[in-house]
Amino acid sequence: MAAIEVENLTKRYGARTAVDSISFSVGEGEIVGFLGPNGAGKSTTLRILTCFQPASSGTARVAGYDVFTQSRQVRENTGYLPESTPLYTDMRVRAYLVYRATLKGVPRRDRREYVHDAMARCDILDVSDRIIGHLSKGYRQRVGLADALVNRPPVLILDEPTSGLDPNQVRDVRDMIKEIAGETTILFSTHTIPWVEQVCERVIVISRGRIALDGTLDDMRRRVAPWARVEFRTSLDARPAVESVQLVPGVAFVENLTIGTRTSLRFLTAKADLAACEARVRAALAAQGGTFEDVRVHEAVVEDLFTSLTRGEAEEPAATDAEVLA
Amino acid sequence: MSRLVALVRREFESYVLNPVPWVLTFFFLLLTWFFFALEISGSRGYPVRVTYTPVFVSLDFILMFLMPLLTMSSVADERSRNTLETLLTAPVQDWQVILSKWLGTFLFFVLMLFPTLVYWLVLRHIGEPIGKPDPGPIATAYFGALLLGGLYAAIGIFASSLTENALMSAFLSFFLLIFLIAVGVLPFVQEASAEWVRLAATYLSPHDHFEAFLRGRIETKGLVYFGSTTALFLFFAVRSLESRKWR
């Protein structure tokens, strides 16, 4: 049985569709990264899964319960860390976690142990008597995480658990997630790709309210393997350069990297076609009176796929783009 | 049950641990003393009859200012700090959240009322030549004060549930209270041709109901009034919290 099952989930705010008929499932014990740019519909989806908001249509089941008709059971079995980690800043860490454990129905005799356990896991025992408002951002994040797992729920839903943290703190959160992996199903959203590669094997990419990609990282590595990433500079201005390069056959996901005055672009192309494609790009730029220089060719990496999939909210992928995604 | 207790405790603590409610308590006692002194001095420092009325004579007026300030952040701050999301994604029900906020406020109001018991001693002292204050009317006066505070708190929490701006919430409950209190004396209501309009307007105001309690009378219509209006505003607050689901 899947721990999270989402079917044709749609959320509309008036005329705006935030989540557009998405479907996916997360198996028991799986860790899945939920990726997408800000405003793609990540938080909205997670809020529906945690019963904070209902969907406009479609169904979702978490831990075997329907989020709409069995909201209470879903909430009892889900630990949730909302975006921005809201906490009562006037409370002390231990008191807050005891309070949360009570709300989540941890029996009185187990409360101390559960709270101690959660604090030990999130490495906050040394601040257990401090006032939350006096803690650093990193510690607050850990308190939020301890809250999410204090009643040992089978499913954890974490909305951007690493936003606003420094690299060391990000590493700490990563280790914590790895530690609780196994017995717990974890769905977390993020927009930092390298982090996902370190934590989990499966990724769901959401863009403009739709699922753009759902698969394992190995899948994606295989998928990008035949592609190369080409970066170059040109004497043309950015806009005309992008426009003319986009029209060259065999070129996908043209991106403008310009910082300062020299125009710098990047695109993906098939490795097999690399030499010929470069020649075509050079010719296309020359036709506009532009140069094609400082060319650097890299292996395409999974991150290229993500940035390509999620940039430019309004753009529709071109024919070659779709080929890369296929 | 343990959930509700935990919720109420949290609400009560959020009042006790913050400075603003204590500042309001200070002003509450100051104003109570002021109106008490004013009332007493009207009879040259010695009341003609020793009653508890002077203590709470302006309570409905004082609380009209203080209760909106006391309750303004109860739901609004949870909204603006997003803690509402953590709260409502725990397995608690919307009515439990509102009820606990009301009970927490109510308990703090009880705490605020406590020091006013000193007037009992004051009245015993200055009433010496005439007689002791009757314990019966004192009990009903406090009973009425609790009902009044409960109603105002429900209105304040309802207003707070409508917005994420605490100040906006305070204004809102302030105007709701003014309307409720003053609807009976509005000119167009006074000049209304229909008798029932005037009666209904007077009935809507907590003033007369509260005054009956001050005079030592427990009236059924007063109990019904406070019970039903308090319940109504708490019900509105629950619906307002639920509105996230159908907006």
Side-chain angles (χ1 to χ4, degrees):
Chain A
M1 190 192 68
I4 301 175
E5 267 184 285
V6 175
E7 246 175 83
N8 301 322
L9 204 69
T10 300
K11 177 71 186 179
R12 277 181 227 98
Y13 293 103
R16 196 175 71 85
T17 306
V19 175
D20 192 358
S21 189
I22 64 172
S23 303
F24 64 87
S25 81
V26 178
E28 240 169 90
E30 225 182 332
I31 305 184
V32 175
F34 201 44
L35 245 110
N38 292 330
K42 291 188 308 263
S43 292
T44 308
T45 308
L46 299 186
R47 280 178 172 173
I48 294 169
L49 291 180
T50 51
C51 308
F52 186 65
Q53 287 176 332
S56 306
S57 66
T59 57
R61 296 175 78 79
V62 177
Y65 300 103
D66 186 283
V67 294
F68 193 68
T69 56
Q70 294 166 304
S71 155
R72 192 188 173 95
Q73 286 94 326
V74 169
R75 285 179 288 159
E76 271 165 2
N77 288 290
T78 312
Y80 175 42
L81 176 70
E83 203 181 351
S84 82
T85 322
L87 299 164
Y88 292 127
T89 46
D90 57 348
M91 285 180 95
R92 287 173 200 279
V93 174
R94 189 195 306 273
Y96 176 70
L97 291 174
V98 169
Y99 163 70
R100 294 291 297 173
T102 314
L103 289 194
K104 292 177 181 189
V106 177
R108 174 185 281 271
R109 61 180 181 283
D110 298 334
R111 252 173 245 158
R112 275 177 80 92
E113 186 201 332
Y114 274 50
V115 167
H116 184 89
D117 240 44
M119 288 198 295
R121 280 208 152 147
C122 300
D123 204 12
I124 48 173
L125 282 169
D126 52 329
V127 295
S128 62
D129 291 317
R130 299 261 303 272
I131 289 171
I132 293 173
H134 297 169
L135 295 177
S136 69
K137 173 90 179 126
Y139 268 115
R140 283 191 209 190
Q141 196 73 11
R142 292 193 224 174
V143 174
L145 210 56
D147 168 22
L149 47 87
V150 72
N151 59 331
R152 303 180 186 168
V155 179
L156 272 184
I157 292 178
L158 314 173
D159 198 353
E160 309 221 349
T162 56
S163 70
L165 298 185
D166 71 35
N168 287 329
Q169 296 166 332
V170 169
R171 205 162 41 234
D172 289 344
V173 173
R174 181 196 67 197
D175 293 343
M176 258 178 274
I177 288 180
K178 280 191 160 171
E179 208 178 297
I180 50 178
E183 71 252 55
T184 312
T185 308
I186 306 175
L187 177 66
F188 68 91
S189 76
T190 179
H191 44 224
T192 58
I193 293 102
W195 199 70
V196 178
E197 292 193 88
Q198 290 170 7
V199 178
C200 65
E201 271 308 304
R202 193 173 139 218
V203 180
I204 297 169
V205 181
I206 185 168
S207 174
R208 286 159 246 160
R210 289 165 186 256
I211 289 187
L213 225 155
D214 181 352
T216 65
L217 281 162
D218 278 343
D219 264 357
M220 287 173 205
R221 286 189 198 108
R222 264 199 298 280
R223 202 175 289 182
V224 295
W227 297 86
R229 184 179 65 191
V230 182
E231 288 177 23
F232 67 94
R233 288 166 178 273
T234 176
S235 55
L236 285 180
D237 280 343
R239 271 213 34 204
V242 169
E243 276 163 13
S244 54
V245 172
Q246 245 164 1
L247 297 174
V248 174
V251 167
F253 296 124
V254 183
E255 214 174 332
N256 181 10
L257 306 173
T258 307
I259 300 166
T261 48
R262 288 293 301 279
T263 305
S264 173
L265 300 186
R266 169 161 87 182
F267 62 87
L268 290 188
T269 185
K271 277 183 195 163
D273 188 36
L274 185 60
C277 186
E278 276 187 41
R280 286 198 296 272
V281 171
R282 184 186 301 277
L285 291 166
Q288 305 271 330
T291 57
F292 180 62
E293 50 194 329
D294 291 350
V295 183
R296 276 170 299 167
V297 181
H298 304 272
E299 294 271 318
V301 292
V302 175
E303 185 162 1
D304 290 324
L305 197 54
F306 289 135
T307 37
S308 317
L309 280 171
T310 55
R311 86 203 149 129
E313 286 287 273
E315 290 168 61
E316 282 295 319
T320 13
D321 297 357
E323 207 177 302
V324 183
L325 306 180
Chain B
M1 193 61 199
S2 62
R3 284 196 177 97
L4 196 62
V5 172
L7 283 167
V8 174
R9 206 180 131 178
R10 155 70 198 152
E11 286 314 314
F12 182 67
E13 275 177 5
S14 79
Y15 284 117
V16 176
L17 295 177
N18 283 299
V20 175
W22 293 110
V23 174
L24 293 173
T25 307
F26 170 76
F27 277 105
F28 170 71
L29 295 174
L30 194 72
L31 288 168
T32 312
W33 168 79
F34 176 78
F35 283 106
F36 176 78
L38 203 70
E39 197 77 3
I40 292 296
S41 67
S43 47
R44 301 188 174 197
Y46 289 96
V48 187
R49 288 184 306 136
V50 184
T51 71
Y52 214 64
T53 315
V55 183
F56 289 145
V57 69
S58 300
L59 190 69
D60 54 345
F61 179 72
I62 296 171
L63 288 184
M64 188 175 81
F65 294 99
L66 295 185
M67 202 50 103
L69 294 171
L70 188 67
T71 55
M72 66 182 179
S73 48
S74 66
V75 188
D77 272 12
E78 298 244 23
R79 239 186 245 284
S80 65
R81 291 178 189 163
N82 287 330
T83 47
L84 199 62
E85 198 170 338
T86 4
L87 183 58
L88 295 176
T89 51
V92 297
Q93 275 151 336
D94 291 358
W95 68 264
Q96 289 175 320
V97 170
I98 293 298
L99 185 66
S100 66
K101 288 194 177 295
W102 181 75
L103 282 171
T105 312
F106 187 75
L107 286 178
F108 189 78
F109 177 65
V110 172
L111 203 66
M112 280 170 84
L113 279 183
F114 244 96
T116 61
L117 282 169
V118 77
Y119 292 114
W120 192 350
L121 298 176
V122 173
L123 279 171
R124 275 174 80 105
H125 179 73
I126 61 176
E128 195 93 69
I130 309 166
K132 287 178 187 160
D134 255 351
I138 293 176
T140 62
Y142 274 100
F143 186 54
L146 292 177
L147 290 176
L148 189 76
L151 169 61
Y152 280 32
I155 291 174
I157 285 163
F158 165 62
S160 187
S161 75
L162 291 175
T163 166
E164 57 181 71
N165 184 325
L167 210 59
M168 189 66 108
S169 147
F171 275 118
L172 212 62
S173 45
F174 180 62
F175 283 116
L176 271 172
L177 287 172
I178 286 190
F179 176 79
L180 213 57
I181 291 165
V183 67
V185 294
L186 289 177
F188 71 89
V189 174
Q190 285 286 302
E191 288 154 19
S193 48
E195 172 77 10
W196 68 268
V197 175
R198 268 169 302 185
L199 274 176
T202 326
Y203 180 79
L204 267 183
S205 166
H207 185 263
D208 290 354
H209 301 290
F210 176 57
E211 209 161 50
F213 285 100
L214 278 189
R215 283 196 306 266
R217 287 164 54 190
I218 296 181
E219 290 181 343
T220 315
K221 70 171 184 181
L223 292 176
V224 170
Y225 169 81
F226 284 115
S228 57
T229 43
T230 304
L232 186 71
F233 280 107
L234 289 178
F235 172 74
F236 284 162
V238 174
R239 299 309 299 219
S240 149
L241 206 58
E242 278 173 357
S243 73
R244 73 184 187 282
K245 294 183 179 168
W246 37 260
R247 257 198 306 224

